[in-house]
Short mmCIF file of all heavy atoms in Angstrom, two decimals:
data_model
loop_
_atom_site.label_atom_id
_atom_site.label_comp_id
_atom_site.label_asym_id
_atom_site.label_seq_id
_atom_site.Cartn_x
_atom_site.Cartn_y
_atom_site.Cartn_z
N ILE A 1 27.59 -2.06 -9.85
CA ILE A 1 27.71 -1.80 -8.41
C ILE A 1 27.58 -0.31 -8.14
O ILE A 1 26.96 0.12 -7.16
CB ILE A 1 29.05 -2.34 -7.89
CG1 ILE A 1 29.08 -3.87 -7.99
CG2 ILE A 1 29.28 -1.91 -6.44
CD1 ILE A 1 30.39 -4.49 -7.59
N ARG A 2 28.15 0.50 -9.03
CA ARG A 2 28.08 1.95 -8.85
C ARG A 2 26.65 2.45 -8.92
O ARG A 2 26.24 3.32 -8.13
CB ARG A 2 28.94 2.64 -9.91
CG ARG A 2 28.87 4.16 -9.84
CD ARG A 2 29.83 4.80 -10.83
NE ARG A 2 31.20 4.51 -10.48
CZ ARG A 2 32.25 5.00 -11.15
NH1 ARG A 2 32.05 5.77 -12.20
NH2 ARG A 2 33.48 4.71 -10.78
N HIS A 3 25.86 1.88 -9.84
CA HIS A 3 24.46 2.28 -9.94
C HIS A 3 23.69 1.93 -8.67
O HIS A 3 22.94 2.75 -8.13
CB HIS A 3 23.81 1.60 -11.15
CG HIS A 3 24.15 2.24 -12.45
ND1 HIS A 3 24.37 1.53 -13.61
CD2 HIS A 3 24.34 3.53 -12.79
CE1 HIS A 3 24.66 2.34 -14.60
NE2 HIS A 3 24.65 3.57 -14.13
N VAL A 4 23.86 0.69 -8.20
CA VAL A 4 23.13 0.25 -7.01
C VAL A 4 23.54 1.08 -5.80
O VAL A 4 22.69 1.48 -4.99
CB VAL A 4 23.37 -1.25 -6.75
CG1 VAL A 4 22.68 -1.69 -5.46
CG2 VAL A 4 22.87 -2.08 -7.92
N THR A 5 24.83 1.35 -5.68
CA THR A 5 25.30 2.19 -4.57
C THR A 5 24.69 3.57 -4.64
O THR A 5 24.27 4.14 -3.62
CB THR A 5 26.84 2.30 -4.61
OG1 THR A 5 27.41 0.99 -4.54
CG2 THR A 5 27.34 3.13 -3.44
N GLY A 6 24.62 4.13 -5.84
CA GLY A 6 24.01 5.45 -6.00
C GLY A 6 22.55 5.46 -5.62
O GLY A 6 22.06 6.40 -4.99
N TRP A 7 21.82 4.40 -5.99
CA TRP A 7 20.40 4.33 -5.63
C TRP A 7 20.23 4.24 -4.12
O TRP A 7 19.30 4.83 -3.56
CB TRP A 7 19.76 3.09 -6.29
CG TRP A 7 19.76 3.15 -7.78
CD1 TRP A 7 19.87 4.27 -8.56
CD2 TRP A 7 19.66 2.04 -8.68
NE1 TRP A 7 19.85 3.93 -9.89
CE2 TRP A 7 19.71 2.57 -10.00
CE3 TRP A 7 19.54 0.67 -8.52
CZ2 TRP A 7 19.64 1.76 -11.13
CZ3 TRP A 7 19.46 -0.14 -9.64
CH2 TRP A 7 19.51 0.39 -10.93
N ILE A 8 21.11 3.49 -3.45
CA ILE A 8 21.00 3.34 -2.01
C ILE A 8 21.32 4.64 -1.29
O ILE A 8 20.66 5.02 -0.32
CB ILE A 8 21.93 2.21 -1.52
CG1 ILE A 8 21.41 0.86 -2.01
CG2 ILE A 8 22.04 2.21 0.00
CD1 ILE A 8 22.32 -0.31 -1.67
N MET A 9 22.33 5.35 -1.78
CA MET A 9 22.77 6.58 -1.12
C MET A 9 21.84 7.75 -1.41
O MET A 9 21.81 8.72 -0.65
CB MET A 9 24.18 6.93 -1.59
CG MET A 9 25.24 5.89 -1.24
SD MET A 9 25.47 5.69 0.54
CE MET A 9 26.21 7.29 0.93
N ARG A 10 21.10 7.68 -2.49
CA ARG A 10 20.26 8.81 -2.88
C ARG A 10 18.96 8.84 -2.07
O ARG A 10 18.48 7.82 -1.60
CB ARG A 10 19.93 8.69 -4.37
CG ARG A 10 19.47 9.98 -5.04
CD ARG A 10 19.27 9.75 -6.53
NE ARG A 10 20.46 9.13 -7.12
CZ ARG A 10 20.45 8.53 -8.31
NH1 ARG A 10 19.33 8.44 -9.00
NH2 ARG A 10 21.57 8.02 -8.79
N ASN A 11 18.43 10.05 -1.94
CA ASN A 11 17.12 10.20 -1.29
C ASN A 11 16.07 9.46 -2.12
O ASN A 11 15.96 9.69 -3.32
CB ASN A 11 16.77 11.69 -1.21
CG ASN A 11 15.51 11.95 -0.40
OD1 ASN A 11 14.63 11.10 -0.31
ND2 ASN A 11 15.42 13.11 0.20
N PRO A 12 15.30 8.54 -1.51
CA PRO A 12 14.31 7.77 -2.28
C PRO A 12 13.35 8.66 -3.08
O PRO A 12 12.86 8.25 -4.14
CB PRO A 12 13.57 6.97 -1.20
CG PRO A 12 14.55 6.85 -0.08
CD PRO A 12 15.35 8.13 -0.10
N GLU A 13 13.10 9.86 -2.59
CA GLU A 13 12.18 10.75 -3.30
C GLU A 13 12.77 11.25 -4.62
O GLU A 13 12.03 11.73 -5.49
CB GLU A 13 11.82 11.94 -2.41
CG GLU A 13 11.07 11.55 -1.14
CD GLU A 13 10.76 12.75 -0.27
OE1 GLU A 13 11.16 13.88 -0.67
OE2 GLU A 13 10.12 12.57 0.79
N ASN A 14 14.11 11.15 -4.75
CA ASN A 14 14.76 11.64 -5.97
C ASN A 14 15.01 10.54 -7.00
O ASN A 14 15.59 10.80 -8.05
CB ASN A 14 16.10 12.29 -5.62
CG ASN A 14 15.92 13.52 -4.75
OD1 ASN A 14 14.90 14.19 -4.81
ND2 ASN A 14 16.92 13.83 -3.92
N LEU A 15 14.57 9.30 -6.71
CA LEU A 15 14.72 8.21 -7.66
C LEU A 15 13.56 8.22 -8.64
O LEU A 15 12.40 8.41 -8.25
CB LEU A 15 14.75 6.87 -6.93
CG LEU A 15 16.02 6.50 -6.16
CD1 LEU A 15 15.80 5.19 -5.41
CD2 LEU A 15 17.21 6.39 -7.08
N ASP A 16 13.85 8.01 -9.92
CA ASP A 16 12.75 7.90 -10.87
C ASP A 16 12.10 6.52 -10.72
O ASP A 16 12.62 5.63 -10.05
CB ASP A 16 13.22 8.14 -12.31
CG ASP A 16 14.30 7.17 -12.76
OD1 ASP A 16 14.20 5.98 -12.41
OD2 ASP A 16 15.24 7.60 -13.45
N ASP A 17 10.95 6.34 -11.35
CA ASP A 17 10.18 5.11 -11.16
C ASP A 17 10.95 3.87 -11.59
O ASP A 17 10.90 2.83 -10.91
CB ASP A 17 8.87 5.20 -11.95
CG ASP A 17 7.94 6.27 -11.40
OD1 ASP A 17 8.13 6.65 -10.22
OD2 ASP A 17 7.05 6.74 -12.13
N GLN A 18 11.68 3.95 -12.69
CA GLN A 18 12.39 2.79 -13.19
C GLN A 18 13.50 2.37 -12.23
O GLN A 18 13.64 1.18 -11.90
CB GLN A 18 12.98 3.07 -14.56
CG GLN A 18 13.70 1.87 -15.18
CD GLN A 18 14.26 2.16 -16.56
OE1 GLN A 18 14.19 3.29 -17.04
NE2 GLN A 18 14.83 1.17 -17.20
N ASP A 19 14.28 3.33 -11.75
CA ASP A 19 15.35 3.01 -10.81
C ASP A 19 14.79 2.49 -9.50
O ASP A 19 15.36 1.57 -8.89
CB ASP A 19 16.21 4.25 -10.55
CG ASP A 19 17.06 4.64 -11.75
OD1 ASP A 19 17.21 3.80 -12.66
OD2 ASP A 19 17.56 5.78 -11.78
N GLU A 20 13.68 3.04 -9.05
CA GLU A 20 13.06 2.59 -7.81
C GLU A 20 12.59 1.14 -7.94
O GLU A 20 12.76 0.33 -7.02
CB GLU A 20 11.88 3.49 -7.46
CG GLU A 20 11.14 3.09 -6.18
CD GLU A 20 12.02 3.20 -4.94
OE1 GLU A 20 12.87 4.12 -4.89
OE2 GLU A 20 11.85 2.37 -4.03
N GLN A 21 12.02 0.79 -9.10
CA GLN A 21 11.56 -0.57 -9.32
C GLN A 21 12.72 -1.56 -9.35
O GLN A 21 12.65 -2.65 -8.77
CB GLN A 21 10.76 -0.65 -10.62
CG GLN A 21 9.43 0.09 -10.57
CD GLN A 21 8.75 0.12 -11.92
OE1 GLN A 21 9.24 -0.44 -12.90
NE2 GLN A 21 7.60 0.78 -12.00
N ARG A 22 13.82 -1.17 -10.03
CA ARG A 22 14.98 -2.06 -10.11
C ARG A 22 15.63 -2.24 -8.74
O ARG A 22 16.01 -3.35 -8.37
CB ARG A 22 16.00 -1.50 -11.12
CG ARG A 22 15.46 -1.38 -12.53
CD ARG A 22 16.51 -0.87 -13.49
NE ARG A 22 17.50 -1.88 -13.78
CZ ARG A 22 18.56 -1.68 -14.57
NH1 ARG A 22 18.76 -0.47 -15.09
NH2 ARG A 22 19.42 -2.65 -14.81
N LEU A 23 15.70 -1.16 -7.97
CA LEU A 23 16.27 -1.27 -6.63
C LEU A 23 15.40 -2.13 -5.73
O LEU A 23 15.89 -2.95 -4.95
CB LEU A 23 16.46 0.12 -6.02
CG LEU A 23 17.04 0.14 -4.60
CD1 LEU A 23 18.41 -0.53 -4.56
CD2 LEU A 23 17.14 1.57 -4.09
N THR A 24 14.09 -1.97 -5.82
CA THR A 24 13.17 -2.76 -5.01
C THR A 24 13.34 -4.25 -5.31
O THR A 24 13.33 -5.09 -4.40
CB THR A 24 11.72 -2.33 -5.27
OG1 THR A 24 11.56 -0.94 -4.93
CG2 THR A 24 10.75 -3.16 -4.44
N ALA A 25 13.49 -4.58 -6.60
CA ALA A 25 13.68 -5.98 -6.98
C ALA A 25 14.99 -6.54 -6.42
O ALA A 25 15.06 -7.68 -5.97
CB ALA A 25 13.65 -6.11 -8.50
N ILE A 26 16.04 -5.71 -6.43
CA ILE A 26 17.33 -6.16 -5.90
C ILE A 26 17.26 -6.36 -4.40
O ILE A 26 17.73 -7.36 -3.86
CB ILE A 26 18.42 -5.13 -6.26
CG1 ILE A 26 18.67 -5.12 -7.77
CG2 ILE A 26 19.72 -5.43 -5.52
CD1 ILE A 26 19.57 -4.00 -8.22
N LEU A 27 16.65 -5.41 -3.69
CA LEU A 27 16.56 -5.50 -2.24
C LEU A 27 15.71 -6.68 -1.80
O LEU A 27 15.97 -7.29 -0.75
CB LEU A 27 15.99 -4.20 -1.67
CG LEU A 27 16.80 -2.92 -1.90
CD1 LEU A 27 16.12 -1.74 -1.25
CD2 LEU A 27 18.22 -3.08 -1.39
N ALA A 28 14.71 -7.04 -2.61
CA ALA A 28 13.85 -8.17 -2.26
C ALA A 28 14.62 -9.48 -2.30
O ALA A 28 14.26 -10.44 -1.61
CB ALA A 28 12.66 -8.23 -3.22
N ARG A 29 15.71 -9.52 -3.07
CA ARG A 29 16.49 -10.75 -3.20
C ARG A 29 17.70 -10.77 -2.27
O ARG A 29 18.39 -11.78 -2.19
CB ARG A 29 16.96 -10.90 -4.65
CG ARG A 29 15.83 -10.97 -5.66
CD ARG A 29 16.34 -11.10 -7.08
NE ARG A 29 17.07 -12.33 -7.29
CZ ARG A 29 17.59 -12.69 -8.46
NH1 ARG A 29 17.43 -11.90 -9.52
NH2 ARG A 29 18.25 -13.82 -8.59
N CYS A 30 17.94 -9.67 -1.57
CA CYS A 30 19.12 -9.60 -0.69
C CYS A 30 18.75 -8.89 0.60
O CYS A 30 18.79 -7.65 0.66
CB CYS A 30 20.27 -8.89 -1.42
SG CYS A 30 21.79 -8.81 -0.45
N PRO A 31 18.39 -9.62 1.64
CA PRO A 31 18.01 -8.99 2.92
C PRO A 31 19.12 -8.12 3.50
O PRO A 31 18.84 -7.09 4.12
CB PRO A 31 17.71 -10.19 3.82
CG PRO A 31 17.41 -11.33 2.89
CD PRO A 31 18.26 -11.09 1.68
N GLU A 32 20.39 -8.54 3.32
CA GLU A 32 21.50 -7.74 3.86
C GLU A 32 21.56 -6.37 3.19
O GLU A 32 21.81 -5.35 3.85
CB GLU A 32 22.83 -8.47 3.66
CG GLU A 32 22.98 -9.75 4.47
CD GLU A 32 22.29 -10.94 3.83
OE1 GLU A 32 21.75 -10.78 2.70
OE2 GLU A 32 22.29 -12.04 4.45
N LEU A 33 21.33 -6.35 1.88
CA LEU A 33 21.36 -5.07 1.17
C LEU A 33 20.17 -4.20 1.56
O LEU A 33 20.29 -2.97 1.66
CB LEU A 33 21.36 -5.32 -0.34
CG LEU A 33 21.93 -4.22 -1.23
CD1 LEU A 33 23.34 -3.87 -0.83
CD2 LEU A 33 21.88 -4.64 -2.69
N GLU A 34 19.04 -4.84 1.81
CA GLU A 34 17.86 -4.08 2.24
C GLU A 34 18.11 -3.45 3.61
O GLU A 34 17.75 -2.30 3.85
CB GLU A 34 16.65 -5.02 2.30
CG GLU A 34 15.31 -4.31 2.41
CD GLU A 34 15.00 -3.86 3.83
OE1 GLU A 34 15.47 -4.55 4.77
OE2 GLU A 34 14.31 -2.83 4.00
N ALA A 35 18.77 -4.20 4.51
CA ALA A 35 19.10 -3.66 5.82
C ALA A 35 20.11 -2.52 5.70
O ALA A 35 20.03 -1.51 6.41
CB ALA A 35 19.65 -4.76 6.72
N THR A 36 21.05 -2.68 4.79
CA THR A 36 22.04 -1.62 4.56
C THR A 36 21.36 -0.34 4.12
O THR A 36 21.68 0.76 4.62
CB THR A 36 23.06 -2.06 3.49
OG1 THR A 36 23.75 -3.22 3.95
CG2 THR A 36 24.07 -0.96 3.22
N ARG A 37 20.42 -0.45 3.20
CA ARG A 37 19.73 0.76 2.74
C ARG A 37 18.95 1.42 3.88
O ARG A 37 18.93 2.64 4.00
CB ARG A 37 18.77 0.43 1.59
CG ARG A 37 18.22 1.69 0.93
CD ARG A 37 16.98 1.44 0.14
NE ARG A 37 16.64 2.63 -0.65
CZ ARG A 37 15.48 2.81 -1.24
NH1 ARG A 37 14.53 1.89 -1.13
NH2 ARG A 37 15.24 3.90 -1.92
N ARG A 38 18.35 0.61 4.71
CA ARG A 38 17.58 1.15 5.83
C ARG A 38 18.48 1.91 6.80
O ARG A 38 18.15 3.03 7.22
CB ARG A 38 16.86 0.01 6.56
CG ARG A 38 15.93 0.47 7.67
CD ARG A 38 15.13 -0.68 8.24
NE ARG A 38 15.97 -1.67 8.91
CZ ARG A 38 16.27 -2.87 8.43
NH1 ARG A 38 15.80 -3.23 7.25
NH2 ARG A 38 17.02 -3.70 9.11
N HIS A 39 19.64 1.35 7.11
CA HIS A 39 20.56 2.01 8.04
C HIS A 39 21.18 3.26 7.41
O HIS A 39 21.35 4.27 8.09
CB HIS A 39 21.66 1.04 8.47
CG HIS A 39 21.16 -0.11 9.28
ND1 HIS A 39 20.31 0.05 10.35
CD2 HIS A 39 21.40 -1.46 9.18
CE1 HIS A 39 20.05 -1.14 10.89
NE2 HIS A 39 20.70 -2.05 10.20
N VAL A 40 21.51 3.18 6.14
CA VAL A 40 22.08 4.35 5.46
C VAL A 40 21.08 5.49 5.42
O VAL A 40 21.41 6.66 5.66
CB VAL A 40 22.53 3.97 4.03
CG1 VAL A 40 22.86 5.22 3.21
CG2 VAL A 40 23.75 3.07 4.09
N GLY A 41 19.81 5.15 5.15
CA GLY A 41 18.78 6.18 5.13
C GLY A 41 18.58 6.83 6.49
O GLY A 41 18.41 8.05 6.59
N ALA A 42 18.63 6.01 7.54
CA ALA A 42 18.47 6.55 8.89
C ALA A 42 19.63 7.48 9.25
O ALA A 42 19.43 8.53 9.88
CB ALA A 42 18.37 5.41 9.91
#
């Protein structure tokens, strides 16, 4: 949970390719989490 939270809170430009791919896969399976990342980024 700590890793996923860190990926969501971090600037997407600062994520390495592997973390970005893992986060994308997680967000694709959870619309609520994808919406959370969008609002947090805004």
Side-chain angles (χ1 to χ4, degrees):
I1 294 176
R2 177 175 294 183
H3 282 143
V4 177
T5 302
W7 296 339
I8 291 175
M9 298 296 292
R10 200 176 308 163
N11 187 332
E13 297 179 358
N14 296 332
L15 286 175
D16 59 40
D17 293 339
Q18 182 179 4
D19 289 344
E20 179 64 34
Q21 291 174 2
R22 299 182 73 182
L23 179 59
T24 300
I26 292 171
L27 298 182
R29 300 179 64 178
C30 182
E32 293 81 4
L33 203 56
E34 194 280 330
T36 298
R37 190 199 190 194
R38 185 173 65 254
H39 294 313
V40 168

